[in-house]
Amino acid sequence: MSTITLTVKGMSCQHCVNSVEGALKKKGAAAKVNLSGNSVTVNYEVKQITLAQIKETIEDLGFDVV
């Protein structure tokens, strides 16, 4: 299992948290959003989802991965 913490801009509320965590869960990754830190920590299996797919999933929700 791999873990990465990404800086994500644009998240501001519990709806944002639920959207990001839910979308990544559907892709097979476990995510934990930190609103005050503008970050998302993701635990994932490389065989199930790639880092590029994780970033794309977050960006498709309207947030910026920096």
Side-chain angles (χ1 to χ4, degrees):
M1 177 149 311
S2 297
T3 302
I4 189 161
T5 299
L6 303 169
T7 300
V8 180
K9 302 283 185 176
M11 301 181 299
S12 61
C13 64
Q14 190 61 42
H15 182 285
C16 299
V17 172
N18 295 341
S19 294
V20 172
E21 291 178 355
L24 289 171
K25 184 176 183 178
K26 286 180 184 177
K27 304 270 184 166
K32 179 68 178 161
V33 173
N34 179 337
L35 281 179
S36 62
N38 293 318
S39 66
V40 179
T41 301
V42 185
N43 295 310
Y44 64 103
E45 292 288 343
V46 178
K47 293 178 183 177
Q48 284 188 310
I49 188 170
T50 66
L51 178 56
Q53 289 171 316
I54 291 169
K55 290 179 179 179
E56 181 180 342
T57 298
I58 295 169
E59 289 173 346
D60 284 350
L61 294 170
F63 306 112
D64 296 319
V65 179
V66 288

